[in-house]
Amino acid sequence: MQETKSTCCYCGVGCGVLIGSEGGRITGVRGDPDHPANFGRLCSKGATLHLSAGLEARALHPELRTSRERPRRRVGWDAALAHAAGRFADIIRAHGPDSVAFYLSGQLLTEDYYVFNKLARGLIGTNNIDTNSRLCMSSAATGYKLSLGADAPPACYEDIDHAGCLFIAGSNTAYAHPVLFRRIEAARARNPDLRIVAVDPRRTDTTQCADLHLAIQPGTDVALFHGLLNVLLWEGLCDMAYVYAHTEGFGVLRETVREYTPQRVAGLCGIREADILQAARWFARGPTLSLYCQGLNQSTSGVDKNVALINLHLATGQIGQPGAGPLSLTGQPNAMGGREVGGMANLFSAHRDLANPEHRAEIARLWGVDSVPDQPGRTAVEMFEAVRRGEIRALWIACTNPAQSMPDLNAVHEALRRVEFLVVQDAFRDTETTRFADLLLPATTWGEKQGTVTNSERRISRVRAAVPPPGEARHDWVIAVDFACRLGARLVNGRDAARLFPYAEAESIFDEHRATTVGRDLDIGGLSYAILETRGPQQWPFPAGARTGLQRLYADGVFATPGGRAQFANVVHRPLAESASARYPLHLNTGRLRDQWHGMSRTGTVAQLCNHEEEPWLTLHPDDMARRQLADGDFVRVQSRRGGLVLRVRGANEMQPTHVFLPMHWGGCHMSGAGANVLIAGDCDPLSWQPELKHAAVRVERLDLPWRLALRALLGRFDYASCGLAGREEGVVVLRAAHAWAPAAELLGGIDRILGLDVENAITYRDVRRNVDKRVLLEHGRLAGVRLAGETVAAAWLQQHLVDGEAAEEIRRWALAPLAAPPGGQGGRGRIVCTCQDVAEQEIRAALRQGADLALLQARLRCGTECGSCVPELRRLLAA
Ligand code: SF4
């Protein structure tokens, strides 16, 4: 077996991995012990990456449809790209460069981004290039720029080890950045004086480990941060020498925060005044490292929240020093790389300003073109609105799934139906977005690609290929270059595409990119593939002559602003875009789960990642459940002003009354309905254009769906359906559905046919009066398939035996009997808490009842002994 060093393709922690491969196939993965982001650790997602490397879900050859009435058909690359170039050229000729757009992804590599950026701005002449990073980090990027002068996180992961206080705001780090959370746990174990303050409306595995949980009302972060600053001022805890020497704007801000007394803020945020005082004192004692993510960013006041938090660091002089500073946690593996090359509608190459004519002239000169466009392009939400209005006529989507991830999904789907020509370039064939594509281009993915990514702490890592591209898949940048050359030949703007895109390999793109950074805040003029090869991942800046990258920024108190002083941002608390009302009385909060990633196109193919949470549960506070006479497992319709979904509910004390939570991962491929974002409005922050994906006002109504279905295949057509995988070595496809009435017999017949259950030796038992209708297939002494309709109470028991292959005789007897319930009240194993060691919640609870503590659980059941992602949940179960 061969091992190849690369980087995890999920979150912005940017863990190093060693990919095992044999005979051109990926066979294993382990953490890279030498990588400074993770030192060998991986979370449950990273540790199962190799299981996502199968080809079943992949797009393997180009597919084109020439008419919307026909399905796509397989074509060769030549025909595919010639067609795309022809359509783009025709539309640009007739309607101008701004009639086309590119929507990219924080999962592309920096080299991919660079080429697309040059294609849009340098060849076509449009700034209509934006990415899903808009949904993720644009408020953080804008906040850094406003306060500190550049989109550059000043701190680093090592600061966790030096901090005296960790201020975690709007981030369920335990779920979304698990390996970093392991580092937090280790720091806490080493340093009993470390204080952790967590700000989150919800009680999560992250807030469980905090010394102080500030469970604020949604959208009140600015008020909280101003309240803390008010205390710092009142108690003389600001570092005024630092403020006078290195900052501007404090006087005006001081007048503003005067209004944010602890008493008033306690009322606005719904927390205790004493907790505000305590948090402020711990923050001031420091050194304080702030870790923050989508709870701050995905908001119509996302930039305000970011700068208000940075204000606290500036006021206490806690920036650029070991253990101190603001550190936004990047959602995606390379959102930072995209920002570096300027691959967003309102950014420009190497942190240049689109509005600055000198910056535009510099890039035009570096690229060898007469000019680059000066008008800002359309940001993500604006882009899809312009598509819907017919102003953008051709859209190219690469490596992302906006039909699942954008807000106001009904409007986005309408846009995707209306656009004249849609190209989707993706590694996966069946996503919510590929369904709309006129042209589907198969791209390489993790384990197959070469290039670089930048993680949350500005660290650039190599991504390396362990296996060759499968089928006809091509690298993203190769597709973009080929298309650019074909398009250039058809455009009459005098630009020579062959000269603009001369790249033979990813390294030459990286070299051109680094040349554009020289003299900028992110200068990597001294970095090269050779250095990354010999010295490993490096942080930027890394200018020519440097031996190493810079660990922390602004240690000298000189900031990236024109005058070198940081700016206090004078912002005020603003309410949410959508307030709760009599018709929509509940606050919906959306978020991530531990074992899933984004729209599940990759993690949804790994059976063991589906065992922790099998369905998109809507979680309510028990009081709200009781008020609606709901019990765990009941069906509800959750409705916002834009759309609705049918879901199952469960109660949890982690929620505040009137708050509900829904995970964001499930989309139309895995459930009935378009997913959580169908409920969310497209309201955006006015500076970052990041939408308020974390909140909508909703109502929840009980639904009676007495007819149930449980089977092993994918189907739609029901009031409620969720499908996924279960099992481990051998995956089991699971479909749960419910409907107000029993469907026609032909539908069940069709389902049986799809499942291969319409065979003679399948056991059928039907008793209409008792609502029992079961079809069970036993093959080679084990359960091979089952379809239950009407009453499905035995589904979990049968699912378990599909996985373990046992109890065939018992199942046969049950299948032939007039029984719906499983024999002896047996059930399934329930949620799997420890994915690595396959340990279920029931087994953990049983051990806890016998008096086990964490060490005993780990020794007896082995749970939490491998990747550690489940340790916070084990602690929670222990505490409960
Ligand atoms: Fe990948 Fe997990 Fe590391 Fe994130 S924390 S980079 S998902 S292994």
Side-chain angles (χ1 to χ4, degrees):
M1 188 186 71
Q2 196 182 324
E3 277 198 327
T4 307
K5 266 179 191 270
S6 190
T7 311
C8 176
C9 62
Y10 292 124
C11 83
V13 178
C15 297
V17 295
L18 295 167
I19 308 173
S21 62
E22 225 169 338
R25 277 184 51 246
I26 292 175
T27 53
V29 68
R30 67 186 176 99
D32 179 354
D34 300 327
H35 198 291
N38 59 318
F39 298 110
R41 296 188 196 101
L42 291 179
C43 74
S44 52
K45 295 184 286 282
T48 49
L49 265 169
H50 59 297
L51 302 177
S52 72
L55 301 185
E56 300 79 12
R58 294 291 300 277
L60 295 173
H61 47 74
E63 293 176 15
L64 174 68
R65 66 176 176 196
T66 46
S67 139
R68 290 277 158 96
E69 283 70 51
R70 300 212 184 103
R72 290 192 306 259
R73 303 234 176 267
R74 178 173 180 172
V75 291
W77 272 105
D78 200 39
L81 291 179
H83 184 86
R87 293 297 303 269
F88 265 67
D90 289 347
I91 288 171
I92 292 167
R93 259 196 304 273
H95 304 285
D98 289 337
S99 60
V100 303
F102 296 85
Y103 187 65
L104 311 179
S105 164
Q107 284 157 77
L108 288 173
L109 308 186
T110 301
E111 291 76 0
D112 301 322
Y113 257 128
Y114 185 88
V115 172
F116 269 112
N117 193 37
K118 197 172 180 185
L119 160 62
R121 301 178 203 258
L123 180 68
I124 298 174
T126 181
N127 285 319
N128 281 344
I129 175 165
D130 213 49
T131 91
N132 60 10
S133 302
R134 178 75 56 192
L135 314 180
C136 171
M137 297 310 294
S138 58
S139 291
T142 311
Y144 283 135
K145 194 141 195 300
L146 280 178
S147 295
L148 310 178
D151 170 16
C156 61
Y157 296 160
E158 197 191 283
D159 285 324
I160 292 171
D161 307 333
H162 301 294
C165 173
L166 292 174
F167 191 84
I168 305 175
S171 161
N172 185 4
T173 322
Y175 271 22
H177 299 94
V179 165
L180 214 58
F181 197 72
R182 300 286 84 73
R183 200 157 176 167
I184 292 171
E185 288 173 327
R188 150 146 260 164
R190 262 197 321 275
N191 177 10
D193 292 334
L194 174 66
R195 291 290 169 261
I196 301 179
V197 180
V199 183
D200 196 316
R202 221 164 32 109
R203 204 160 81 219
T204 66
D205 279 0
T206 303
T207 67
Q208 288 284 133
C209 89
D211 299 283
L212 179 59
H213 174 200
L214 302 175
I216 60 171
Q217 289 301 304
T220 59
D221 310 67
V222 170
L224 173 69
F225 302 152
H226 279 3
L228 298 180
L229 187 50
N230 182 298
V231 177
L232 297 176
L233 280 163
W234 186 255
E235 299 194 358
L237 297 174
C238 291
D239 182 345
M240 293 314 294
Y242 187 91
V243 169
Y244 292 135
H246 302 295
T247 70
E248 279 175 356
F250 192 62
V252 187
L253 177 65
R254 182 162 40 193
E255 288 308 306
T256 300
V257 300
R258 213 186 276 281
E259 306 296 319
Y260 291 81
T261 61
Q263 190 186 20
R264 178 174 169 234
V265 168
L268 274 170
C269 297
I271 54 176
R272 293 181 337 142
E273 200 178 324
D275 290 344
I276 297 170
L277 298 174
Q278 181 64 80
R281 288 167 192 157
W282 281 344
F283 196 106
R285 194 192 65 177
T288 295
L289 179 71
S290 293
L291 302 168
Y292 50 103
C293 197
Q294 310 308 0
L296 265 56
N297 295 337
Q298 291 181 334
S299 161
T300 45
S301 52
V303 174
D304 292 354
K305 293 177 181 183
N306 273 268
V307 295
L309 179 55
I310 295 172
N311 283 344
L312 296 172
H313 284 276
L314 295 174
T316 52
Q318 299 201 67
I319 192 164
Q321 309 303 327
L327 180 60
S328 54
L329 300 178
T330 314
Q332 301 194 79
N334 197 33
M336 183 95 76
R339 283 142 63 190
E340 289 159 15
V341 303
M344 290 173 85
N346 58 339
L347 303 181
F348 217 56
S349 307
H351 291 182
R352 287 177 176 82
D353 285 328
L354 186 61
N356 183 326
E358 279 173 31
H359 286 182
R360 291 199 306 275
E362 275 171 27
I363 289 299
R365 186 173 45 74
L366 283 163
W367 284 349
V369 295
D370 49 351
S371 66
V372 285
D374 57 358
Q375 291 305 307
R378 315 264 191 167
T379 60
V381 170
E382 296 175 305
M383 185 180 282
F384 284 91
E385 281 171 357
V387 170
R388 194 151 67 103
R389 289 195 301 268
E391 293 161 19
I392 290 174
R393 293 161 184 265
L395 179 62
W396 190 298
I397 296 171
C399 195
T400 184
N401 188 9
Q404 192 272 347
S405 56
M406 287 289 293
D408 200 1
L409 279 177
N410 285 334
V412 169
H413 288 191
E414 192 186 330
L416 292 171
R417 276 192 296 273
R418 280 190 187 179
V419 67
E420 281 178 32
F421 184 54
L422 176 64
V423 182
V424 179
Q425 173 174 328
D426 207 302
F428 294 92
R429 187 172 186 278
D430 293 309
T431 72
E432 288 78 359
T433 303
T434 58
R435 294 169 176 186
F436 293 95
D438 297 303
L439 177 62
L440 176 64
L441 301 174
T444 52
T445 185
W446 178 85
E448 302 155 6
K449 297 183 72 158
Q450 296 276 6
T452 53
V453 289
T454 311
N455 73 1
S456 299
E457 59 165 358
R458 295 173 278 108
R459 190 176 295 281
I460 298 174
S461 296
R462 278 299 314 275
V463 168
R464 295 181 182 86
V467 295
E472 295 177 28
R474 290 184 178 178
H475 300 315
D476 288 287
W477 69 266
V478 171
I479 299 170
V481 165
D482 194 342
F483 170 73
C485 292
R486 291 166 191 264
L487 179 67
R490 291 166 186 261
L491 293 177
V492 282
N493 61 8
R495 292 183 179 173
D496 178 357
R499 192 184 51 75
L500 275 174
F501 301 93
Y503 319 114
E505 68 293 302
E507 184 173 5
S508 52
I509 304 169
F510 181 82
D511 287 341
E512 188 177 307
H513 160 57
R514 73 190 174 96
T516 70
T517 68
V518 172
R520 308 287 309 157
D521 69 290
L522 74 170
D523 190 336
I524 51 166
L527 197 57
S528 63
Y529 271 25
I531 289 176
L532 291 170
E533 204 67 51
T534 51
R535 292 189 229 158
Q538 299 293 326
Q539 287 174 280
W540 58 252
F542 196 116
R547 285 291 306 154
T548 173
L550 201 56
Q551 201 175 18
R552 294 177 191 87
L553 306 180
Y554 317 129
D556 53 2
V558 178
F559 291 87
T561 54
R565 285 172 173 266
Q567 298 290 322
F568 279 102
N570 184 28
V571 294
V572 294
H573 162 66
R574 286 183 286 123
L576 294 159
E578 194 167 82
S579 48
S581 65
R583 263 173 76 73
Y584 300 98
L586 301 171
H587 296 282
L588 171 73
N589 179 3
T590 65
R592 295 163 189 224
L593 297 179
R594 191 192 72 190
D595 290 353
Q596 292 297 345
W597 172 254
H598 280 194
M600 297 167 68
S601 48
R602 181 184 292 278
T603 50
T605 67
V606 180
Q608 71 189 66
L609 292 180
C610 301
N611 293 338
H612 186 235
E613 292 286 358
E614 294 184 347
E615 286 178 66
W617 290 92
L618 185 75
T619 311
L620 280 75
H621 187 273
D623 290 351
D624 291 316
M625 295 278 285
R627 199 163 294 126
R628 290 164 180 77
Q629 298 180 321
L630 291 167
D632 283 355
D634 281 352
F635 292 96
V636 294
R637 166 166 281 273
V638 56
Q639 183 74 39
S640 76
R641 292 176 174 90
R642 287 149 299 278
L645 287 174
V646 176
L647 297 162
R648 289 214 290 165
V649 287
R650 65 182 173 200
N653 282 316
E654 288 95 56
M655 305 302 301
Q656 297 191 44
T658 75
H659 292 198
V660 302
F661 175 78
L662 181 62
M664 45 76 92
H665 304 290
W666 278 263
C669 288
H670 293 269
M671 70 180 292
S672 49
N677 287 355
V678 79
L679 303 165
I680 303 284
D683 298 298
C684 291
D685 182 283
L687 296 176
S688 70
W689 292 100
Q690 181 158 356
E692 190 153 87
L693 285 165
K694 289 294 273 183
H695 182 265
V698 297
R699 66 169 178 264
V700 170
E701 290 159 352
R702 184 195 166 84
L703 270 190
D704 277 327
L705 303 177
W707 184 87
R708 309 284 164 87
L709 181 78
L711 49 72
R712 306 171 57 220
L714 309 181
L715 284 174
R717 303 199 208 184
F718 301 104
D719 288 333
Y720 170 83
S722 90
C723 57
L725 298 174
R728 219 170 149 77
E729 278 76 27
E730 201 178 356
V732 172
V733 178
V734 174
L735 174 72
R736 295 176 188 82
H739 206 63
W741 57 83
E746 299 84 69
L747 177 58
L748 287 188
I751 290 170
D752 291 344
R753 256 194 312 284
I754 290 169
L755 288 174
L757 293 174
D758 61 337
V759 289
E760 253 176 37
N761 55 333
I763 302 168
T764 304
Y765 186 95
R766 189 172 297 128
D767 182 339
V768 178
R769 201 172 47 82
R770 289 168 187 252
N771 201 24
V772 176
D773 186 344
K774 45 190 178 182
R775 188 171 269 248
V776 176
L777 181 64
L778 293 153
E779 271 180 349
H780 312 299
R782 61 170 294 180
L783 179 62
V786 58
R787 185 267 296 153
L788 307 178
E791 183 50 80
T792 60
V793 66
W797 172 66
L798 290 163
Q799 184 175 311
Q800 184 55 41
H801 291 309
L802 271 166
V803 174
D804 64 27
E806 292 170 2
E809 252 327 290
E810 197 177 10
I811 292 167
R812 181 189 302 280
R813 283 197 300 278
W814 172 85
L816 290 166
L819 289 173
Q826 296 180 61
R829 290 175 70 209
R831 293 172 68 238
I832 303 298
V833 172
C834 176
T835 305
C836 304
Q837 299 290 344
D838 195 30
V839 185
E841 181 175 349
Q842 289 181 17
E843 292 145 16
I844 294 164
R845 285 189 186 277
L848 291 175
R849 276 194 296 275
Q850 289 167 8
D853 58 9
L854 182 60
L856 215 58
L857 281 179
Q858 290 177 315
R860 263 199 217 150
L861 302 177
R862 310 286 306 143
C863 49
T865 56
E866 216 166 301
C867 81
S869 297
C870 65
V871 170
E873 187 167 349
L874 297 178
R875 286 192 212 281
R876 175 154 52 83
L877 291 170
L878 196 58

